[in-house]
Amino acid sequence: MNKKKYAVDEASQELIKKAKDDRIETVWDRKKIMKTPCGFGEKGLCCRICSMGPCRISPVTGKGAQKGLCGATADVIVSRNYARMVAAGTAAHSDHGRSIAHVLHMASKDGNYTVKDEEKLIEIADRWGLETEDKNIYDLTHEVAEYALNEYGKPFGNLTLPTFVPDKRKKIWENLGITPRAIDREVVTVMHSTHIGCTADAESMIKMAMRTSLADGYGGSIMGTDISDVLFGTPTVRETEANLGVLDEKYVNIIVHGHEPSLSEMIVLAADDPELLKLAKEVGAEGINIAGMCCTANEVMMRHGVKIAGNFLQQELAVATGAVEAVIVDVQCIFPALSDLTKAYHTKLITTSPKAKISGAIHREFDERTAYESAKSIIKEAILNFESRDKEKIFIPKAKAHAIVGFSYKTILNRLDKVVNSNIDPVGTIKPLADCITSGVLRGAAGVVGCNNPKQTHDQSIIEIIKSLIKKDVIVVATGCAAQAAAKAGLMSKDARKLAGKGLATVCDLVDIPPVLHMGSCVDNTRILNLVGELAKFLNLDISDLPVVGVAPEWMSEKAVAIGTYVVSSGIDTWLGIMPPVIGSREVMDILTNKIEDMVGARFYFEEDPVKAANQMIERIEEKRKILYKKLKNQNLAVEEATVAQN
Ligand code: XCC
Ligand code: SF4
């Protein structure tokens, strides 16, 4: 290994070495071959939008082309590229949400998919103004599903925003003209406006990107979260383990990888089928071990405690253990490299979605109408593959960590009730959290989200940022691959309380939570929006008044750009640990890191150094606290600062 380590955890390090010994190629090898990334692409200055180009321009050096053939400037090209990233990310989250809505439409009393959380169904129906009284639950289910699907393409009006959005925030969006309309419409509008010969004004383009991102955060992603909760249950606290050490040599190991829980839920269910367990024994295994990867892991872990094999950059390493019978995938974040890689071992790569076929993989289209049987036959294929293992090639690292997970919005409220004096305080409200934050026992909250990226040492920035924050009494909520990094590092265990500052540690003890709360997959960032939205409403403030920050230390996907944009547009300052391709335009840089604050009360920070980023976040949180006090005092709320200065 050269100067920079590839990964921080032992399991990954051991397997990177094994991959090398096995002479297989991983992302880090390909990164070496790739050498320096294209400078134009990196700055956002390459335009492939029409075939007069591609045009690549050099405004930074001032030499060579300064405009594209059509006359597009750096500001135009960069802003268009940025908006397209947001549109693609929004499309991915929202289409995932749509699939789940289709599954909801299919749900029936004796079907493969049923309603697990009726209360949540009714909550959604109420939010959308649907009549719920005296209605057959499955009639209501179909109505809710139809309403959801209509939100994607309704011809008139705006998206039906969730009730947790504070009125002040809605006003801000309205005044800026960025209130989202139908979800698909926003994506299409960006694709249209970025076509040659349309929008050529960076600010207008970025505003369109913001509106589209809001259609993701308050539309498509919410569908993903809320409807999954209806179908599969709203997550509650569970214990699990994380890292590649969860694979077990004696078992048939199956990795579920991708995003949509409709597949993984069935796989988890079917893995308990007596017929399959019998078959597993017959081939010489002790049982079936399902482990998750990426956001699919988060979905099944939150609802069943299924173990986490690893996050994004560990997908190849899992295969390199030589102990995985099948990697079952659906959509998003699946390396095409798995196709060749699995062939170097006995592992089967099984694709299941027509939206993500991979050449060289086995395609077993997952049919939701016969979901259970589909899942069973896929698992069967994995079991029968157990005997093809090459014992010589097996190495499973020991490393794994214990984690307490499953913190949905409701679960957090229920936990907080433990500290409530029910004679005075209403239970089931956000008041205890508001008290912790306004009193200063907790200095603030941070959402640590997003992916892995080989531009950074795997997981390192995520872990460092989280540790710095909790030490300063900032409670961390995490989703996606960042949450898995935290789980693997033991930051979601009881023990992690030792790493927290005094205030946070006290809260953790009282409420019995770890200092880092796993809130789910990336569509579940909506759970965080829900939390901050309700908190702001409770305090009669706007989200931008809260001492709350967001950070994606090692992001890589377009989805992360969409998330970052809706988080900032919601009024939450957001740090990106990987520079997005916008540096080629002075105007776009200025909008995203400065001007946008005048529009929505929050801005982007681009900082690759995790220590610097964490310090900036803490500083910002303290600044926000001062504003918070002023505003609360103006409302004549009696607030007492517990610890005035950060010590
Ligand atoms: Fe993918 Fe969602 Fe990123 Fe992980 S965090 S690499 S998007 S799996 Ni969402
Ligand atoms: Fe070049 Fe303009 Fe075509 Fe882009 S749209 S490729 S800048 S001519």
Side-chain angles (χ1 to χ4, degrees):
M1 250 171 254
N2 49 15
K3 324 127 247 165
K4 216 167 112 185
K5 270 198 298 188
Y6 291 152
V8 284
D9 74 280
E10 222 174 283
S12 296
Q13 284 171 0
E14 287 170 342
L15 281 164
I16 290 170
K17 188 173 171 299
K18 177 177 190 272
K20 208 171 173 190
D21 296 342
D22 286 357
R23 293 175 179 280
I24 59 156
E25 167 203 283
T26 64
V27 57
W28 292 281
D29 300 312
R30 292 188 293 274
K31 185 168 189 305
K32 249 193 233 160
I33 298 166
M34 194 66 70
K35 300 206 174 91
T36 321
C38 164
F40 295 96
E42 201 173 36
K43 297 184 188 70
L45 288 170
C46 171
C47 181
R48 293 182 290 106
I49 276 169
C50 87
S51 85
M52 294 196 286
C55 298
R56 19 181 253 182
I57 62 170
S58 314
V60 184
T61 61
K63 283 190 208 113
Q66 300 298 301
K67 284 178 186 167
L69 259 64
C70 64
T73 60
D75 302 332
V76 173
I77 293 177
V78 170
S79 63
R80 281 197 305 219
N81 287 340
Y82 182 84
R84 283 200 167 195
M85 288 183 91
V86 171
T90 300
H93 282 145
S94 304
D95 206 37
H96 158 171
R98 182 193 340 252
S99 294
I100 304 290
H102 274 292
V103 173
L104 185 72
H105 197 260
M106 208 180 277
S108 65
K109 195 162 153 267
D110 329 288
N112 279 286
Y113 295 98
T114 55
V115 169
K116 293 259 165 56
D117 189 341
E118 228 175 278
E119 206 183 305
K120 182 113 187 195
L121 179 78
I122 291 168
E123 202 185 293
I124 301 172
D126 283 342
R127 179 197 305 166
W128 288 339
L130 302 173
E131 187 56 60
T132 56
E133 294 279 313
D134 304 319
K135 199 171 270 172
N136 171 296
I137 196 74
Y138 283 94
D139 289 341
L140 183 62
T141 302
H142 294 149
E143 261 180 63
V144 166
E146 259 172 42
Y147 193 100
L149 291 165
N150 272 323
E151 286 295 282
Y152 284 84
K154 62 180 174 192
F156 305 108
N158 295 331
L159 188 76
T160 316
L161 291 169
T163 44
F164 60 72
V165 186
D167 288 338
K168 296 182 184 182
R169 193 44 36 187
K170 287 188 205 154
K171 263 262 123 38
I172 291 172
W173 294 340
E174 246 168 65
N175 293 340
L176 281 171
I178 60 169
T179 305
R181 300 159 301 173
I183 301 163
D184 287 352
R185 181 175 183 186
E186 296 309 350
V187 175
V188 169
T189 300
V190 164
M191 293 314 285
H192 176 184
S193 292
T194 53
H195 185 274
I196 172 151
C198 279
T199 303
D201 175 72
E203 190 171 319
S204 164
M205 193 78 257
I206 299 295
K207 277 192 191 158
M208 276 185 183
M210 290 161 80
R211 185 169 61 186
T212 305
S213 75
L214 291 173
D216 176 352
Y218 296 85
S221 281
I222 293 239
M223 302 296 179
T225 300
D226 284 3
I227 299 179
S228 295
D229 284 355
V230 171
L231 284 167
F232 311 120
T234 300
T236 50
V237 176
R238 311 179 173 270
E239 305 203 2
T240 190
E241 288 176 328
N243 213 342
L244 290 158
V246 305
L247 298 176
D248 193 328
E249 191 167 349
K250 297 193 209 78
Y251 283 69
V252 172
N253 290 306
I254 297 177
I255 302 254
V256 283
H257 175 18
H259 282 79
E260 293 172 9
S262 40
L263 166 73
S264 47
E265 277 281 332
M266 278 299 152
I267 298 281
V268 171
L269 252 179
D272 277 337
D273 192 293
E275 192 192 315
L276 293 176
L277 290 170
K278 193 169 151 253
L279 184 65
K281 292 253 157 75
E282 276 164 24
V283 299
E286 282 185 11
I288 305 166
N289 182 31
I290 308 278
M293 188 121 255
C294 284
C295 280
T296 280
N298 293 326
E299 297 279 355
V300 285
M301 174 271 316
M302 292 282 282
R303 298 193 178 91
H304 302 280
V306 168
K307 294 168 188 164
I308 303 170
N311 53 4
F312 182 62
L313 281 189
Q314 288 176 295
Q315 54 187 295
E316 293 175 295
L317 303 180
V319 176
T321 61
V324 174
E325 276 53 60
V327 182
I328 304 171
V329 303
D330 58 1
V331 292
Q332 303 171 20
C333 302
I334 304 143
F335 276 8
L338 291 182
S339 182
D340 280 345
L341 176 67
T342 44
K343 292 192 185 73
Y345 299 90
H346 75 300
T347 311
K348 289 192 176 182
L349 174 64
I350 302 177
T351 55
T352 58
S353 167
K355 289 177 202 166
K357 286 192 179 176
I358 299 174
S359 70
I362 303 163
H363 188 71
R364 296 276 177 268
E365 199 142 316
F366 182 67
D367 185 350
E368 277 92 356
R369 281 162 307 180
T370 52
Y372 189 75
E373 285 309 314
S374 285
K376 251 179 93 175
S377 78
I378 294 171
I379 297 178
K380 201 166 166 190
E381 211 162 334
I383 297 173
L384 294 175
N385 195 27
F386 184 76
E387 288 168 309
S388 331
R389 272 188 188 181
D390 178 351
K391 291 232 164 63
E392 306 270 281
K393 276 193 179 168
I394 295 182
F395 168 74
I396 300 175
K398 295 231 159 36
K400 60 179 173 185
H402 181 258
I404 303 162
V405 297
F407 293 94
S408 60
Y409 172 70
K410 255 196 207 137
T411 306
I412 293 178
L413 291 200
N414 289 342
R415 282 271 153 148
L416 285 165
D417 281 343
K418 282 195 178 179
V419 288
V420 168
N421 180 349
S422 52
N423 292 327
I424 315 170
D425 292 326
V427 280
T429 73
I430 201 145
K431 184 172 183 299
L433 180 64
D435 288 347
C436 287
I437 288 187
T438 51
S439 69
V441 175
L442 296 181
R443 306 306 297 169
V448 184
V449 308
C451 328
N452 294 139
N453 188 319
K455 286 182 176 166
Q456 304 266 21
T457 300
H458 173 231
D459 285 351
Q460 181 168 278
S461 292
I462 299 167
I463 294 166
E464 256 181 56
I465 288 175
I466 293 179
K467 281 188 177 162
S468 313
L469 292 171
I470 59 175
K471 202 162 118 197
K472 294 285 187 186
D473 292 324
V474 175
I475 189 166
V476 169
V477 289
T479 60
C481 289
Q484 296 172 340
K488 287 184 288 167
L491 297 170
M492 290 174 173
S493 66
K494 264 192 186 161
D495 260 5
R497 290 179 200 172
K498 290 200 291 266
L499 302 171
K502 211 170 137 221
L504 176 57
T506 311
V507 173
C508 289
D509 281 337
L510 276 173
V511 191
D512 193 21
I513 51 170
V516 184
L517 303 180
H518 199 319
M519 290 193 82
S521 65
C522 292
V523 290
D524 294 340
N525 281 320
T526 57
R527 300 189 200 276
I528 303 180
L529 294 180
N530 190 352
L531 195 65
V532 291
E534 290 292 356
L535 191 61
K537 271 175 73 178
F538 179 82
L539 294 168
N540 194 23
L541 295 168
D542 175 50
I543 299 170
S544 64
D545 298 323
L546 302 174
V548 168
V549 296
V551 55
E554 302 174 23
W555 73 276
M556 62 87 206
S557 76
E558 289 163 320
K559 290 178 284 174
V561 183
I563 294 169
T565 308
Y566 74 63
V567 172
V568 170
S569 304
S570 300
I572 300 170
D573 289 304
T574 299
W575 276 255
L576 297 182
I578 305 280
M579 187 64 207
V582 294
I583 206 162
S585 159
R586 223 176 261 154
E587 191 184 355
V588 175
M589 277 293 284
D590 185 46
I591 295 171
L592 295 178
T593 62
N594 175 32
K595 264 183 154 167
I596 200 167
E597 196 174 343
D598 294 333
M599 301 186 212
V600 292
R603 51 164 281 205
F604 274 109
Y605 294 74
F606 306 137
E607 180 52 68
E608 285 175 11
D609 181 331
V611 179
K612 278 191 199 154
N615 287 337
Q616 290 166 2
M617 282 177 236
I618 291 158
E619 214 173 282
R620 191 74 179 126
I621 282 174
E622 291 304 324
E623 266 170 42
K624 285 263 166 120
R625 294 198 66 82
K626 289 191 192 123
I627 305 168
L628 178 75
Y629 286 119
K630 266 196 209 133
K631 294 213 171 171
L632 290 177
K633 279 220 176 94
N634 288 344
Q635 294 180 26
N636 294 322
L637 279 186
V639 276
E640 274 171 58
E641 174 75 289
T643 38
V644 181
Q646 187 73 40
N647 34 29

